[in-house]
Amino acid sequence: MNSVTVLLPERARFGGQRLGETFGLRLGRADRSVEAADQAARVFDILPRGWPIAAVSRQRDVGDAAYGAWLRADPAYVRPDINGARLLAYGQALSLSERDSAALLPALRPLFGDAGFPIDAPHPSRWYLALPRESRLPKFASPEQALGEDMFQHLPGMDNEGSEGRRWRSLLSEAQIVLHNHPHNAQRIAAGLAPINSLWFWGGGVLPDHVRTNYQQVYSDDEGLTAFGAQAGIAATALPPQWPAGEGERLFDLRAARDLTVVQRDWLEPIARALDAGTLERAVLAFADGERFELARSQRWRFWRKSLRSLQA
């Protein structure tokens, strides 16, 4: 089947932005439903269930993830404020280079090595802790969940997970002291860059037994989707600037989009034209809040359906 699925953010992210008249009419005539809001989990069939991004991204980066469990310990910048500290940036947003990891990792290795969790960085923005396969881990929040918020609300073990949570909070506190005192951060600040004064633990687990998907291609700037796509053995590449014509079952990840006018112009209207021309059989718009629109050429005969003026209608 020649079809596309477009992942989009929560409809509320577009605020009061209006739909164009033509596309508003098409959405009004579409098949509409509500499904589970976990978009990424719907893209892949993962066994055992979960989203162990550390192991899957490690496998893509190095190829040795099958030998144990893994936890991401990505470099981060937190800024203290009157109520605690906020996570302001992590990973790629910090403009990291191999020079950063080469300078900072030697200072962190004794801390994590003594704890039994060797640390390394095969990529400047992706740092890993190697764990025993049987390690019990508390629940870690993804950095996207915590970005801009008080980091203490998202630290591991804050929801009564006992000694394991306390252990990881202690390791984080010690790592922050090491990083805060490191002279390399003074060099970054002098160069106009944010310091690397914390780590973010997340994505722990072991490599899944299998990862499968019905899609033949995944286009996304989200490293989780592309890493799982690679693990599933399909083409997983960066998101192009606009919808590209093509064949097969394809997924496009537009969850970072905020301008509805641009989304309609560069993505939704070209998809609609392809449906009208018969070069595309089906298109699904899946919003992060669970709202789902399925578009097909035959829906143009639904004259009784009213146009939608906004996505909140």
Side-chain angles (χ1 to χ4, degrees):
M1 174 181 257
N2 191 18
S3 68
V4 298
T5 296
V6 181
L7 300 184
L8 291 157
E10 297 89 348
R11 290 170 297 153
R13 287 289 183 92
F14 292 117
Q17 298 177 61
R18 302 294 292 270
L19 287 165
E21 182 177 348
T22 301
F23 204 80
L25 182 59
R26 186 174 292 272
L27 286 188
R29 294 174 177 176
D31 292 330
R32 190 170 179 176
S33 60
V34 178
E35 57 187 359
D38 188 355
Q39 293 171 305
R42 296 197 305 267
V43 175
F44 298 103
D45 177 27
I46 303 168
L47 289 178
R49 301 300 181 196
W51 193 251
I53 181 60
V56 173
S57 62
R58 177 77 186 195
Q59 184 66 14
R60 184 173 61 171
D61 285 343
V62 184
D64 63 354
Y67 301 115
W70 300 90
L71 183 68
R72 290 280 287 270
D74 289 346
Y77 167 51
V78 300
R79 187 177 67 193
D81 63 23
I82 192 169
N83 296 315
R86 295 187 182 277
L87 176 65
L88 296 187
Y90 70 95
Q92 290 183 345
L94 288 168
S95 301
L96 298 163
S97 69
E98 291 183 0
R99 183 170 175 268
D100 295 304
S101 50
L104 296 173
L105 282 180
L108 292 169
R109 285 194 175 107
L111 169 64
F112 291 104
D114 289 348
F117 310 134
I119 187 170
D120 72 342
H123 186 281
S125 64
R126 292 191 289 275
W127 297 10
Y128 295 89
L129 296 178
L131 314 177
R133 190 174 183 85
E134 66 278 3
S135 295
R136 294 183 60 188
L137 296 173
K139 185 183 298 182
F140 294 100
S142 72
E144 291 90 350
Q145 291 175 295
L147 196 60
E149 299 186 4
D150 182 357
M151 66 177 294
F152 295 105
Q153 297 178 2
H154 299 277
L155 289 181
M158 295 302 283
D159 51 355
N160 299 317
E161 291 184 277
S163 60
E164 285 302 319
R166 289 193 296 271
R167 181 187 195 188
W168 285 101
R169 293 199 303 276
S170 176
L171 280 170
L172 177 61
S173 179
E174 293 182 58
Q176 288 175 332
I177 293 171
V178 171
L179 293 169
H180 176 75
N181 294 324
H182 201 286
H184 181 72
N185 274 321
Q187 297 175 26
R188 282 183 58 89
I189 294 171
L193 299 172
I196 302 166
N197 60 5
S198 187
L199 301 176
W200 196 263
F201 302 135
W202 69 292
V206 300
L207 195 67
D209 293 333
H210 86 240
V211 178
R212 296 175 184 170
T213 183
N214 291 326
Y215 296 103
Q216 295 168 310
Q217 291 178 293
V218 170
Y219 299 86
S220 176
D221 293 327
D222 181 287
E223 65 168 281
L225 283 186
T226 55
F228 276 93
Q231 190 66 22
I234 64 171
T237 57
L239 188 71
Q242 59 190 18
W243 185 73
E247 297 183 352
E249 295 201 39
R250 299 180 294 159
L251 177 95
F252 297 92
D253 179 14
L254 270 64
R255 289 175 296 169
R258 296 295 180 268
D259 189 333
L260 186 56
T261 300
V262 173
V263 171
Q264 289 184 97
R265 182 194 68 207
D266 295 342
W267 293 90
L268 305 185
E269 290 174 2
I271 287 173
R273 290 193 292 270
L275 287 168
D276 290 341
T279 57
L280 186 64
E281 297 176 50
R282 184 179 70 109
V284 172
L285 310 183
F287 290 86
D289 55 17
E291 199 75 13
R292 183 178 186 272
F293 295 84
E294 183 170 339
L295 312 179
R297 184 184 185 192
S298 60
Q299 294 165 355
R300 68 188 188 279
W301 302 114
R302 295 175 174 176
F303 300 117
W304 62 92
R305 295 278 190 93
K306 294 182 179 180
S307 175
L308 298 185
R309 293 187 176 183
S310 76
L311 292 170
Q312 301 296 324

